[in-house]
Amino acid sequence: MSGFQAHPDMIALLKRVEAFLAKSRMGPSYFGRRAVGNSELVERLRKGGEVKRRTERSVLQFIERECESRFGMTIDDILAEAEEAEEEPETEGAP
């Protein structure tokens, strides 16, 4: 075990990115290219890498714009929706 821990800001950023990707069904490479012109962005975050504050702001601004225009929601709404879905028990054969 390496003892490596990603920076809390990067964990929070990745959580938002992953929620957006799941909701939008956008591929990670395409997302990175659209958000900041870097198709490796999501892979870097997933591996525990960090990005500059300017890049973080650009990513969050892109997500907020896309969430509003595509879904009429904020990323916080999408995160809450995802958390609720995780908490709902799966029931077989329920109507």
Side-chain angles (χ1 to χ4, degrees), residues 9-20 75 79 83:
D9 289 347
M10 296 301 107
I11 294 170
L13 177 62
L14 180 58
K15 186 174 181 178
R16 285 171 166 66
V17 169
E18 295 289 7
F20 175 78
I75 188 60
L79 285 166
E83 287 174 7

Side-chain angles (χ1 to χ4, degrees), residues 15-26 31 34 59-79 81:
K15 186 174 181 178
R16 285 171 166 66
V17 169
E18 295 289 7
F20 175 78
L21 292 177
K23 179 78 171 175
S24 68
R25 296 181 165 208
M26 187 179 287
F31 170 85
R34 292 267 326 274
V59 169
L60 292 172
Q61 288 170 351
F62 174 80
I63 289 173
E64 287 298 343
R65 279 193 314 270
E66 290 293 307
C67 286
E68 180 62 36
S69 67
R70 287 171 175 245
F71 313 116
M73 302 170 78
T74 67
I75 188 60
D76 290 330
D77 296 333
I78 291 170
L79 285 166
E81 189 178 80

Side-chain angles (χ1 to χ4, degrees), residues 36-91:
V36 292
N38 179 353
S39 63
E40 299 298 317
L41 171 74
V42 177
E43 189 64 26
R44 169 190 268 172
L45 291 172
R46 286 175 174 168
K47 289 181 178 179
E50 296 187 12
V51 297
K52 294 179 181 177
R53 290 283 178 208
R54 179 177 58 221
T55 301
E56 180 183 10
R57 279 192 305 272
S58 295
V59 169
L60 292 172
Q61 288 170 351
F62 174 80
I63 289 173
E64 287 298 343
R65 279 193 314 270
E66 290 293 307
C67 286
E68 180 62 36
S69 67
R70 287 171 175 245
F71 313 116
M73 302 170 78
T74 67
I75 188 60
D76 290 330
D77 296 333
I78 291 170
L79 285 166
E81 189 178 80
E83 287 174 7
E84 286 175 16
E86 286 177 5
E87 290 174 4
E88 290 178 8
E90 290 185 34
T91 56

